Amino acid sequence: YVDRAIYKLYPNLYIILIGESATTKKSTAINIGTDILINSIADHVNIAADTETKASMVRDLCKRYEKTGISDVHIAAGEFVNFVGDIKSDTMFTKYISELWDCKARQKNGTIIRGHEVSNNIFCNMIAGSTEDWFKVGMAGEDIGGGFYSRLIPVPRDPSGRHNAHPEFAMTKSMWEAKENCIHDLRIIQGITGTFTWTNRARTMYEAWYEDEEYAVHKKPKQLRGYYGRKRDMVIKLSMILSSNFGSDMKIKETDLEYAWSVMGENEQYLGKMIKYLNTTPEGARMEKVLEYIQSKSPVKRRKLIADLSNAGVTAKFLDEELIPTHGQTGSGIIRMTQGSGVTYEYVKTRE
């Protein structure tokens, strides 16, 4: 941890992968990482159940504290909605998970039946998956831009287009070696305990960036101000992780900060599109998916478009009513419809 005088900052993160179901392989990525974690330090990691409630997690952390003296839990949920249930009507669980992010040294929960349950020395990590649609309608309004949402690092991505019928044959020697290296390194990292310190250069760099970031937060979209407000802590968390990955001297160096800024900056280029989607009507969001699909697949048959986007609510009726038959404006071009052996949509670029 880094001692911030008024609180201790631990290297736990709440990461949520956001993308279409099935095509973006969110659960696959989460399962690969979780398997590596279990294979590395199975005796030292507490994986949360596939579905939880506040009461069940409180009990789990209480038992964990009684056994190890640490109330640690790692949430790995391929679909976050399945893990937490309907948070729009019941926000108690997400509010509780929000509190766990702070890694409090002391925590006591009162229950009618069991009295007070103590779960001190909290440490909670999370990696989960979600669709954009669930993020839009499933999140309670009070969470967007603050509270639970501000503690997340959202990672929105579109389908990559990569397909492999036999991934078991695609694994190269270097891939297997990388996996083994991860397992080896995690076993070493697990033993790193104590206080991280700064090199003088890193401390000076962070101070300058901190002041610039303080000014920039107020210029960000409302829904992202919570994220950017906590980004200053997230950079330190990620820097601790990176430092541990490269050595065990427990020093945050300028290279750790630069790498953390680079990683977060690369991801942030996708956040604007996600916020734009959150602000659209359901019909507008559906049409945006249609236009993006046609632009990327052009030319495309109408029947294939409907089949591929049926899970987004795209139907023949929707296309007839919402997509302008002769052209639909999208970015730097138009969508043109032609008749032949079935309707075909084509993206035509009109300007750079």
Side-chain angles (χ1 to χ4, degrees):
Y1 62 87
V2 169
D3 192 340
R4 305 287 279 166
I6 55 177
Y7 63 96
K8 291 179 180 178
L9 194 63
Y10 291 87
N12 63 312
L13 297 172
Y14 284 9
I15 299 171
I16 187 159
L17 311 181
I18 303 171
E20 295 178 3
S21 295
T23 59
T24 48
K25 309 299 181 184
K26 303 182 298 294
S27 296
T28 301
I30 291 169
N31 290 338
I32 290 172
T34 304
D35 286 344
I36 290 175
L37 184 65
I38 292 173
N39 287 332
S40 306
I41 51 174
D43 295 337
H44 302 280
V45 64
N46 178 33
I47 306 294
D50 293 333
T51 58
E52 289 272 15
T53 63
K54 177 184 176 181
S56 65
M57 184 162 282
V58 167
R59 287 196 300 271
D60 178 56
L61 291 180
C62 181
K63 292 178 180 178
R64 187 72 175 170
Y65 177 65
E66 292 174 351
K67 180 180 179 181
T68 67
I70 300 174
S71 305
D72 65 302
V73 64
H74 178 80
I75 300 170
E79 289 294 343
F80 191 63
V81 63
N82 296 335
F83 177 74
V84 296
D86 184 8
I87 64 173
K88 192 169 185 179
S89 60
D90 181 9
T91 62
M92 291 299 293
F93 190 24
T94 51
K95 288 179 178 177
Y96 177 64
I97 298 175
S98 298
E99 294 176 1
L100 298 182
W101 187 88
D102 296 323
C103 296
K104 295 179 180 177
R106 292 173 295 279
Q107 181 157 301
K108 183 187 294 185
N109 293 276
T111 63
I112 296 175
I113 297 176
R114 293 180 301 278
H116 288 110
E117 294 183 313
V118 177
S119 52
N120 293 341
N121 301 325
I122 297 287
F123 188 86
C124 181
N125 265 315
M126 184 181 78
I127 184 165
S130 172
T131 63
E132 286 183 332
D133 291 335
W134 181 84
F135 225 64
K136 183 178 177 68
V137 302
M139 294 287 283
E142 64 180 335
D143 284 327
I144 296 293
F148 174 68
Y149 182 86
S150 71
R151 289 165 169 80
L152 299 177
I153 298 180
V155 183
R157 293 294 188 275
D158 293 324
S160 66
R162 295 193 301 269
H163 303 285
N164 197 321
H166 294 287
E168 67 273 24
F169 300 131
M171 290 291 289
T172 64
K173 180 181 178 181
S174 61
M175 291 178 182
W176 287 113
E177 289 176 349
K179 179 179 179 180
E180 292 303 315
N181 287 339
C182 283
I183 292 174
H184 173 267
D185 291 352
L186 281 170
R187 288 172 178 163
I188 297 174
I189 291 171
Q190 188 275 327
I192 297 176
T193 60
T195 307
F196 275 80
T197 58
W198 303 78
T199 64
N200 291 335
R201 174 63 176 159
R203 180 179 174 180
T204 301
M205 288 173 62
Y206 182 80
E207 287 173 357
W209 173 83
Y210 185 97
E211 295 300 325
D212 291 340
E213 195 69 13
E214 175 72 21
Y215 176 74
V217 166
H218 304 291
K219 295 184 176 182
K220 301 298 181 181
K222 181 179 178 181
Q223 297 93 331
L224 287 176
R225 286 176 193 164
Y227 163 82
Y228 279 101
R230 295 188 188 277
K231 180 182 176 180
R232 289 161 289 189
D233 278 351
M234 291 179 182
V235 164
I236 298 176
K237 287 171 176 278
L238 189 52
S239 295
M240 282 190 278
I241 295 170
L242 292 167
S243 174
S244 299
N245 184 56
F246 292 115
S248 55
D249 59 2
M250 300 185 68
K251 284 187 177 295
I252 295 178
K253 298 173 281 295
E254 55 269 35
T255 51
D256 301 322
L257 285 173
E258 289 169 347
Y259 200 173
W261 288 326
S262 174
V263 169
M264 298 191 75
E266 181 180 351
N267 181 61
E268 285 162 7
Q269 65 181 310
Y270 298 93
L271 298 185
K273 179 183 175 183
M274 182 187 74
I275 293 303
K276 179 181 177 182
Y277 176 80
L278 291 176
N279 287 334
T280 60
T281 64
E283 291 76 17
R286 196 174 301 131
M287 180 52 63
E288 187 172 330
K289 287 182 180 292
V290 169
L291 296 176
E292 289 178 350
Y293 181 91
I294 295 173
Q295 184 173 347
S296 64
K297 304 288 186 180
S298 178
V300 61
K301 292 289 187 181
R302 173 186 172 96
R303 61 178 178 272
K304 178 167 175 56
L305 185 154
I306 293 173
D308 288 353
L309 297 184
S310 60
N311 63 340
V314 175
T315 64
K317 181 180 179 182
F318 174 79
L319 293 176
D320 292 338
E321 293 178 351
E322 302 292 339
L323 185 62
I324 301 174
T326 55
H327 67 278
Q329 191 70 37
T330 173
S332 59
I334 61 172
I335 302 300
R336 184 163 56 199
M337 184 183 78
T338 57
Q339 296 278 2
S341 57
V343 176
T344 299
Y345 295 108
E346 182 181 7
Y347 170 73
V348 180
K349 196 169 185 179
T350 57
R351 65 179 187 273
E352 294 299 329

